[in-house]
Amino acid sequence: RTLLAGMLLSVFALAGCGQKQEAQQQASAPQAAAPAAGGEMKEYVVGTDASYAPFEFQNDKQEIVGFDVDVLTAVAAKGGFKVKFVNTPWEGMFATLPQGDRDILSSAITITDERKQSMDFSDPYFEARQLIAIGKGVADVKSFADLKAKKVAVQTGTTGDEVVQKLLGKTNPSIKRFESMPLALKELEGGGVDAAVGDNGVVANYVANNPQHGMVTVEDTKSFAPEYYGFAVNKGNKELLDKINAGIKAVKADGTYDQIFKKYFGSK
Ligand code: ARG
């Protein structure tokens, strides 16, 4: 509760001054690593589903911003490469790596054994957990198990979808799947479902920013295991993965990561 409350507060604070901080941060960003001898710094195309505040979303100027964007941009500066973020639908995103359309995926992606079979992940850069949001007037949900006889909205193909499938059964019509998390939460707002399940940072952020709908969140740390976000690259792209991991080490070591974490979530 306290962590989430802290997160929410800082997200509120951000709404007012995020842009300015962004600009300042860019101006004072550490000098990028020197390009390889004789060569230009390589630019990689990054796929992200920018409907996932505060991790990746579009600001008033339609720029893709967020925690993941700041982290990967800092990682790239340390790792000696450039990044270009491209808004990419979540569904079909994983296939863009082998297709060669995207070099890196940065989208609050949970590292799972199943996904590891088809792509390679960086070292983890964030810990998350599933969180339940329940609609106005839904009083009888105290834990995940209480969703058994409920209608639940999820984002298709996410770890939220997976946990709800386990509880309700894959083909249960009570699971309503949406192509983005905001669409799933809109369904909850409108009363089309009783609950929504998704990553804690995103669900908490949305509920806090839409208080008029009377949604509340329910934590269940017994039912939901911690999840770890990683940046994904095409299977076997060791050259790029090594650069990303070196960058992650560097931003964790010199305090850059903590600074970005604080900007979005307040202190730990
Ligand atoms: N962490 C969850 C997963 O990997 C949800 C990620 C969804 N990300 C997004 N940008 N829509 O399945």
Short mmCIF file of all heavy atoms in Angstrom, two decimals, residues 110-150:
data_model
loop_
_atom_site.label_atom_id
_atom_site.label_comp_id
_atom_site.label_asym_id
_atom_site.label_seq_id
_atom_site.Cartn_x
_atom_site.Cartn_y
_atom_site.Cartn_z
N THR A 110 7.50 -8.52 -19.35
CA THR A 110 7.91 -9.47 -18.31
C THR A 110 8.73 -10.59 -18.94
O THR A 110 8.34 -11.17 -19.95
CB THR A 110 6.66 -10.07 -17.63
OG1 THR A 110 5.89 -9.00 -17.07
CG2 THR A 110 7.05 -11.06 -16.54
N ILE A 111 9.87 -10.87 -18.32
CA ILE A 111 10.71 -11.98 -18.77
C ILE A 111 10.03 -13.29 -18.33
O ILE A 111 9.79 -13.49 -17.14
CB ILE A 111 12.10 -11.89 -18.12
CG1 ILE A 111 12.76 -10.54 -18.46
CG2 ILE A 111 12.98 -13.07 -18.56
CD1 ILE A 111 14.01 -10.24 -17.65
N THR A 112 9.67 -14.14 -19.29
CA THR A 112 9.08 -15.43 -18.94
C THR A 112 9.83 -16.53 -19.68
O THR A 112 10.44 -16.29 -20.73
CB THR A 112 7.58 -15.53 -19.33
OG1 THR A 112 7.48 -15.58 -20.77
CG2 THR A 112 6.76 -14.37 -18.80
N ASP A 113 9.76 -17.75 -19.13
CA ASP A 113 10.46 -18.88 -19.77
C ASP A 113 9.93 -19.10 -21.18
O ASP A 113 10.68 -19.39 -22.10
CB ASP A 113 10.28 -20.15 -18.93
CG ASP A 113 11.14 -20.08 -17.68
OD1 ASP A 113 12.12 -19.30 -17.68
OD2 ASP A 113 10.83 -20.79 -16.70
N GLU A 114 8.61 -18.97 -21.34
CA GLU A 114 8.03 -19.20 -22.65
C GLU A 114 8.56 -18.19 -23.66
O GLU A 114 8.95 -18.55 -24.78
CB GLU A 114 6.51 -19.11 -22.54
CG GLU A 114 5.80 -19.68 -23.74
CD GLU A 114 4.32 -19.31 -23.76
OE1 GLU A 114 3.76 -19.01 -22.69
OE2 GLU A 114 3.75 -19.31 -24.86
N ARG A 115 8.58 -16.93 -23.28
CA ARG A 115 9.08 -15.89 -24.20
C ARG A 115 10.55 -16.06 -24.50
O ARG A 115 11.02 -15.71 -25.59
CB ARG A 115 8.78 -14.51 -23.62
CG ARG A 115 7.29 -14.19 -23.63
CD ARG A 115 6.99 -12.91 -22.87
NE ARG A 115 5.56 -12.62 -22.86
CZ ARG A 115 4.99 -11.68 -22.12
NH1 ARG A 115 5.74 -10.94 -21.30
NH2 ARG A 115 3.69 -11.48 -22.16
N LYS A 116 11.30 -16.60 -23.54
CA LYS A 116 12.74 -16.78 -23.73
C LYS A 116 13.05 -17.76 -24.86
O LYS A 116 14.15 -17.76 -25.40
CB LYS A 116 13.37 -17.30 -22.44
CG LYS A 116 13.77 -16.23 -21.45
CD LYS A 116 14.69 -16.86 -20.43
CE LYS A 116 14.56 -16.23 -19.07
NZ LYS A 116 15.03 -17.13 -18.00
N GLN A 117 12.08 -18.60 -25.21
CA GLN A 117 12.30 -19.54 -26.31
C GLN A 117 12.37 -18.82 -27.65
O GLN A 117 13.01 -19.29 -28.56
CB GLN A 117 11.15 -20.54 -26.40
CG GLN A 117 10.60 -20.98 -25.06
CD GLN A 117 10.75 -22.45 -24.85
OE1 GLN A 117 10.29 -23.24 -25.65
NE2 GLN A 117 11.41 -22.81 -23.78
N SER A 118 11.69 -17.67 -27.75
CA SER A 118 11.65 -17.03 -29.06
C SER A 118 12.37 -15.69 -29.11
O SER A 118 12.46 -15.06 -30.17
CB SER A 118 10.20 -16.87 -29.52
OG SER A 118 9.48 -16.15 -28.55
N MET A 119 12.86 -15.21 -27.97
CA MET A 119 13.64 -13.94 -28.00
C MET A 119 14.61 -13.93 -26.83
O MET A 119 14.48 -14.73 -25.90
CB MET A 119 12.70 -12.73 -27.94
CG MET A 119 11.85 -12.64 -26.70
SD MET A 119 10.49 -11.46 -26.91
CE MET A 119 9.12 -12.56 -26.95
N ASP A 120 15.58 -13.04 -26.89
CA ASP A 120 16.53 -12.92 -25.79
C ASP A 120 16.23 -11.67 -24.97
O ASP A 120 15.87 -10.63 -25.54
CB ASP A 120 17.96 -12.87 -26.32
CG ASP A 120 18.42 -14.24 -26.84
OD1 ASP A 120 17.80 -15.26 -26.45
OD2 ASP A 120 19.37 -14.28 -27.64
N PHE A 121 16.38 -11.81 -23.66
CA PHE A 121 16.10 -10.69 -22.76
C PHE A 121 17.37 -10.15 -22.11
O PHE A 121 18.29 -10.91 -21.79
CB PHE A 121 15.14 -11.14 -21.65
CG PHE A 121 13.71 -11.25 -22.08
CD1 PHE A 121 13.16 -12.48 -22.39
CD2 PHE A 121 12.92 -10.12 -22.18
CE1 PHE A 121 11.84 -12.59 -22.80
CE2 PHE A 121 11.59 -10.22 -22.59
CZ PHE A 121 11.05 -11.45 -22.90
N SER A 122 17.34 -8.86 -21.88
CA SER A 122 18.41 -8.22 -21.10
C SER A 122 18.27 -8.65 -19.64
O SER A 122 17.31 -9.31 -19.26
CB SER A 122 18.26 -6.69 -21.17
OG SER A 122 17.12 -6.28 -20.41
N ASP A 123 19.22 -8.21 -18.84
CA ASP A 123 19.08 -8.36 -17.39
C ASP A 123 17.83 -7.59 -16.97
O ASP A 123 17.46 -6.60 -17.62
CB ASP A 123 20.31 -7.77 -16.68
CG ASP A 123 21.57 -8.56 -17.01
OD1 ASP A 123 21.45 -9.77 -17.32
OD2 ASP A 123 22.67 -7.96 -16.97
N PRO A 124 17.18 -8.04 -15.89
CA PRO A 124 15.95 -7.34 -15.46
C PRO A 124 16.24 -5.89 -15.06
O PRO A 124 17.30 -5.60 -14.52
CB PRO A 124 15.47 -8.15 -14.25
CG PRO A 124 16.53 -9.13 -13.93
CD PRO A 124 17.47 -9.21 -15.07
N TYR A 125 15.27 -5.00 -15.35
CA TYR A 125 15.46 -3.60 -14.95
C TYR A 125 14.33 -3.08 -14.08
O TYR A 125 14.36 -1.92 -13.64
CB TYR A 125 15.64 -2.70 -16.19
CG TYR A 125 14.42 -2.59 -17.08
CD1 TYR A 125 13.45 -1.62 -16.85
CD2 TYR A 125 14.22 -3.47 -18.14
CE1 TYR A 125 12.32 -1.51 -17.64
CE2 TYR A 125 13.10 -3.37 -18.95
CZ TYR A 125 12.16 -2.40 -18.69
OH TYR A 125 11.03 -2.30 -19.49
N PHE A 126 13.31 -3.92 -13.82
CA PHE A 126 12.19 -3.43 -12.99
C PHE A 126 11.41 -4.61 -12.44
O PHE A 126 11.22 -5.61 -13.13
CB PHE A 126 11.25 -2.55 -13.83
CG PHE A 126 10.23 -1.79 -13.03
CD1 PHE A 126 10.56 -0.59 -12.42
CD2 PHE A 126 8.93 -2.28 -12.88
CE1 PHE A 126 9.63 0.11 -11.67
CE2 PHE A 126 7.98 -1.58 -12.13
CZ PHE A 126 8.33 -0.38 -11.53
N GLU A 127 10.96 -4.49 -11.19
CA GLU A 127 10.13 -5.54 -10.60
C GLU A 127 8.67 -5.09 -10.54
O GLU A 127 8.38 -3.97 -10.12
CB GLU A 127 10.61 -5.87 -9.18
CG GLU A 127 9.83 -7.03 -8.57
CD GLU A 127 10.23 -7.35 -7.13
OE1 GLU A 127 11.46 -7.40 -6.85
OE2 GLU A 127 9.33 -7.55 -6.31
N ALA A 128 7.78 -5.95 -10.98
CA ALA A 128 6.35 -5.62 -10.98
C ALA A 128 5.55 -6.79 -10.43
O ALA A 128 6.11 -7.85 -10.08
CB ALA A 128 5.90 -5.31 -12.41
N ARG A 129 4.25 -6.59 -10.35
CA ARG A 129 3.35 -7.64 -9.89
C ARG A 129 1.97 -7.36 -10.47
O ARG A 129 1.69 -6.21 -10.81
CB ARG A 129 3.26 -7.57 -8.36
CG ARG A 129 3.28 -8.89 -7.64
CD ARG A 129 3.10 -8.65 -6.16
NE ARG A 129 4.34 -8.72 -5.39
CZ ARG A 129 4.82 -9.84 -4.84
NH1 ARG A 129 4.20 -10.98 -4.98
NH2 ARG A 129 5.92 -9.81 -4.13
N GLN A 130 1.16 -8.34 -10.62
CA GLN A 130 -0.21 -8.09 -11.08
C GLN A 130 -0.99 -7.37 -9.98
O GLN A 130 -0.73 -7.55 -8.80
CB GLN A 130 -0.91 -9.40 -11.46
CG GLN A 130 -0.28 -10.08 -12.67
CD GLN A 130 -0.22 -9.18 -13.88
OE1 GLN A 130 -1.22 -8.65 -14.33
NE2 GLN A 130 1.00 -8.97 -14.39
N LEU A 131 -1.94 -6.55 -10.43
CA LEU A 131 -2.81 -5.82 -9.49
C LEU A 131 -4.24 -5.87 -10.05
O LEU A 131 -4.45 -5.79 -11.26
CB LEU A 131 -2.33 -4.36 -9.38
CG LEU A 131 -3.10 -3.45 -8.43
CD1 LEU A 131 -2.93 -3.88 -6.97
CD2 LEU A 131 -2.62 -1.99 -8.59
N ILE A 132 -5.20 -6.01 -9.14
CA ILE A 132 -6.61 -6.08 -9.53
C ILE A 132 -7.23 -4.69 -9.38
O ILE A 132 -6.98 -4.01 -8.37
CB ILE A 132 -7.37 -7.06 -8.60
CG1 ILE A 132 -6.73 -8.45 -8.63
CG2 ILE A 132 -8.85 -7.13 -8.98
CD1 ILE A 132 -7.13 -9.32 -7.42
N ALA A 133 -8.00 -4.28 -10.35
CA ALA A 133 -8.84 -3.08 -10.18
C ALA A 133 -10.28 -3.56 -10.21
O ALA A 133 -10.63 -4.39 -11.06
CB ALA A 133 -8.59 -2.07 -11.29
N ILE A 134 -11.08 -3.08 -9.28
CA ILE A 134 -12.49 -3.47 -9.31
C ILE A 134 -13.36 -2.24 -9.52
O ILE A 134 -12.99 -1.12 -9.19
CB ILE A 134 -12.92 -4.23 -8.02
CG1 ILE A 134 -12.58 -3.44 -6.78
CG2 ILE A 134 -12.32 -5.63 -7.98
CD1 ILE A 134 -13.12 -4.06 -5.50
N GLY A 135 -14.51 -2.49 -10.10
CA GLY A 135 -15.40 -1.40 -10.46
C GLY A 135 -16.18 -0.87 -9.27
O GLY A 135 -16.26 -1.50 -8.21
N LYS A 136 -16.77 0.27 -9.49
CA LYS A 136 -17.62 0.92 -8.50
C LYS A 136 -18.71 -0.07 -8.07
O LYS A 136 -19.34 -0.68 -8.92
CB LYS A 136 -18.25 2.14 -9.17
CG LYS A 136 -18.87 3.12 -8.24
CD LYS A 136 -19.46 4.26 -9.06
CE LYS A 136 -20.05 5.29 -8.12
NZ LYS A 136 -20.22 6.57 -8.78
N GLY A 137 -18.89 -0.21 -6.80
CA GLY A 137 -19.98 -1.05 -6.32
C GLY A 137 -19.67 -2.54 -6.25
O GLY A 137 -20.47 -3.34 -5.80
N VAL A 138 -18.49 -2.94 -6.71
CA VAL A 138 -18.09 -4.34 -6.57
C VAL A 138 -17.40 -4.48 -5.22
O VAL A 138 -16.25 -4.11 -5.06
CB VAL A 138 -17.13 -4.78 -7.70
CG1 VAL A 138 -16.71 -6.23 -7.53
CG2 VAL A 138 -17.78 -4.57 -9.05
N ALA A 139 -18.13 -4.98 -4.24
CA ALA A 139 -17.62 -4.93 -2.87
C ALA A 139 -16.99 -6.23 -2.42
O ALA A 139 -16.23 -6.26 -1.46
CB ALA A 139 -18.75 -4.55 -1.93
N ASP A 140 -17.30 -7.32 -3.12
CA ASP A 140 -16.95 -8.63 -2.59
C ASP A 140 -15.67 -9.22 -3.18
O ASP A 140 -15.51 -10.42 -3.27
CB ASP A 140 -18.10 -9.60 -2.80
CG ASP A 140 -18.58 -9.62 -4.25
OD1 ASP A 140 -18.18 -8.71 -5.01
OD2 ASP A 140 -19.33 -10.53 -4.62
N VAL A 141 -14.76 -8.36 -3.58
CA VAL A 141 -13.48 -8.87 -4.09
C VAL A 141 -12.35 -8.45 -3.14
O VAL A 141 -11.99 -7.27 -3.06
CB VAL A 141 -13.18 -8.37 -5.51
CG1 VAL A 141 -11.79 -8.81 -5.96
CG2 VAL A 141 -14.23 -8.90 -6.48
N LYS A 142 -11.87 -9.43 -2.38
CA LYS A 142 -10.79 -9.14 -1.42
C LYS A 142 -9.48 -9.78 -1.86
O LYS A 142 -8.41 -9.43 -1.38
CB LYS A 142 -11.16 -9.69 -0.03
CG LYS A 142 -12.47 -9.15 0.51
CD LYS A 142 -12.25 -7.82 1.25
CE LYS A 142 -13.56 -7.21 1.73
NZ LYS A 142 -14.16 -6.30 0.72
N SER A 143 -9.61 -10.77 -2.75
CA SER A 143 -8.40 -11.46 -3.22
C SER A 143 -8.65 -11.94 -4.65
O SER A 143 -9.78 -11.88 -5.16
CB SER A 143 -8.09 -12.66 -2.34
OG SER A 143 -9.04 -13.68 -2.58
N PHE A 144 -7.59 -12.43 -5.28
CA PHE A 144 -7.70 -12.88 -6.67
C PHE A 144 -8.74 -13.98 -6.83
O PHE A 144 -9.51 -14.01 -7.79
CB PHE A 144 -6.31 -13.35 -7.13
CG PHE A 144 -6.25 -13.72 -8.58
CD1 PHE A 144 -6.79 -12.90 -9.56
CD2 PHE A 144 -5.61 -14.88 -8.98
CE1 PHE A 144 -6.71 -13.24 -10.91
CE2 PHE A 144 -5.52 -15.23 -10.32
CZ PHE A 144 -6.08 -14.41 -11.29
N ALA A 145 -8.78 -14.90 -5.87
CA ALA A 145 -9.72 -16.03 -5.95
C ALA A 145 -11.17 -15.55 -6.04
O ALA A 145 -12.03 -16.25 -6.60
CB ALA A 145 -9.54 -16.95 -4.75
N ASP A 146 -11.43 -14.37 -5.50
CA ASP A 146 -12.80 -13.83 -5.54
C ASP A 146 -13.24 -13.43 -6.95
O ASP A 146 -14.40 -13.08 -7.16
CB ASP A 146 -12.93 -12.62 -4.59
CG ASP A 146 -12.74 -13.01 -3.13
OD1 ASP A 146 -13.00 -14.18 -2.79
OD2 ASP A 146 -12.31 -12.15 -2.35
N LEU A 147 -12.32 -13.49 -7.90
CA LEU A 147 -12.69 -13.13 -9.28
C LEU A 147 -13.26 -14.32 -10.04
O LEU A 147 -13.64 -14.21 -11.20
CB LEU A 147 -11.46 -12.59 -10.04
CG LEU A 147 -10.89 -11.26 -9.57
CD1 LEU A 147 -9.77 -10.82 -10.51
CD2 LEU A 147 -11.97 -10.19 -9.51
N LYS A 148 -13.29 -15.46 -9.37
CA LYS A 148 -13.70 -16.71 -10.02
C LYS A 148 -15.06 -16.61 -10.72
O LYS A 148 -15.23 -17.15 -11.81
CB LYS A 148 -13.76 -17.81 -8.95
CG LYS A 148 -13.68 -19.17 -9.55
CD LYS A 148 -12.50 -19.96 -9.07
CE LYS A 148 -12.20 -21.00 -10.13
NZ LYS A 148 -11.42 -22.10 -9.65
N ALA A 149 -16.00 -15.94 -10.11
CA ALA A 149 -17.34 -15.84 -10.73
C ALA A 149 -17.57 -14.43 -11.30
O ALA A 149 -18.71 -13.98 -11.41
CB ALA A 149 -18.40 -16.19 -9.71
N LYS A 150 -16.49 -13.75 -11.66
CA LYS A 150 -16.62 -12.37 -12.13
C LYS A 150 -16.23 -12.24 -13.61
O LYS A 150 -15.55 -13.10 -14.15
CB LYS A 150 -15.70 -11.46 -11.32
CG LYS A 150 -15.98 -11.46 -9.84
CD LYS A 150 -17.18 -10.62 -9.50
CE LYS A 150 -17.38 -10.56 -8.00
NZ LYS A 150 -18.79 -10.34 -7.64
#
